[in-house]
């Protein structure tokens, strides 16, 4: 779990500082469209389109109040997950389009709850064994 957290922090920092490659490529594509240029061939490639089809779009929206904002998914068969970390809990909002038979915000919410409970158990057990 520690390796997953470190990898997530590293990727997040890259994105925050403008070093996430997907941001640069999206910027180039949008510039080409806005200026009436041909979109680069790379962006017409099937592999590129698969790699930029983000089925899970997440964002931390911290607020001082105990509230949750939300947003929709960025692709028709995807999910939008917004979260607001608090000192003793995390508020989540999960969204999906009703028109997609492959997405259910209720199912993802339940799986998210199960996963967080599992991670809590792992951390608590690790903390207990470290004290022994």
């Amino acid at each position: 779990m520690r390796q997953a957290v470190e990898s997530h922090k590293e990727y997040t920092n890259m994105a925050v500082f403008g070093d996430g490659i997907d941001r640069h490529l999206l910027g180039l594509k949008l510039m080409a469209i806005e200026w009436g240029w041909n979109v680069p061939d790379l962006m017409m490639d099937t592999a590129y389109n698969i790699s930029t089809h983000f089925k899970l779009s997440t964002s931390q929206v911290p607020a001082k109040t105990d509230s949750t904002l939300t947003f929709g998914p960025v692709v028709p068969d995807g999910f939008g997950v917004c979260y607001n970390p608090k000192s003793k809990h995390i508020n989540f909002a999960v969204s999906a389009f009703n028109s997609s038979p492959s997405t259910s915000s209720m199912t993802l919410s339940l799986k998210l709850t199960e996963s967080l409970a599992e991670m809590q158990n792992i951390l608590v057990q690790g903390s207990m064994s470290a004290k022994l």
Side-chain angles (χ1 to χ4, degrees), residues 1-66:
M1 186 183 305
R2 187 178 316 247
Q3 183 179 359
V5 169
E6 290 304 319
S7 294
H8 179 71
K9 282 175 27 183
E10 183 180 340
Y11 183 74
T12 299
N13 284 335
M14 287 173 55
V16 165
F17 293 107
D19 294 329
I21 187 68
D22 56 311
R23 276 36 172 217
H24 297 295
L25 293 173
L26 176 61
L28 291 172
K29 180 179 182 179
L30 294 176
M31 275 179 34
I33 291 168
E34 183 178 328
W35 292 353
W37 298 347
N38 290 333
V39 173
D41 290 341
L42 166 71
M43 294 169 187
M44 304 306 290
D45 185 79
T46 302
Y48 177 82
N49 286 306
I50 290 169
S51 73
T52 59
H53 186 87
F54 298 112
K55 287 192 174 194
L56 180 61
S57 179
T58 65
S59 186
Q60 176 185 344
V61 183
K64 294 183 191 264
T65 60
D66 193 18

Side-chain angles (χ1 to χ4, degrees), residues 40-107:
D41 290 341
L42 166 71
M43 294 169 187
M44 304 306 290
D45 185 79
T46 302
Y48 177 82
N49 286 306
I50 290 169
S51 73
T52 59
H53 186 87
F54 298 112
K55 287 192 174 194
L56 180 61
S57 179
T58 65
S59 186
Q60 176 185 344
V61 183
K64 294 183 191 264
T65 60
D66 193 18
S67 59
T68 304
L69 302 171
T70 192
F71 55 86
V74 297
V75 294
D77 60 339
F79 296 94
V81 179
C82 188
Y83 55 100
N84 178 9
K86 306 307 297 172
S87 62
K88 303 251 184 236
H89 66 277
I90 304 172
N91 293 330
F92 286 92
V94 177
S95 63
F97 290 112
N98 291 341
S99 58
S100 176
S102 65
T103 59
S104 165
S105 55
M106 181 61 74
T107 301

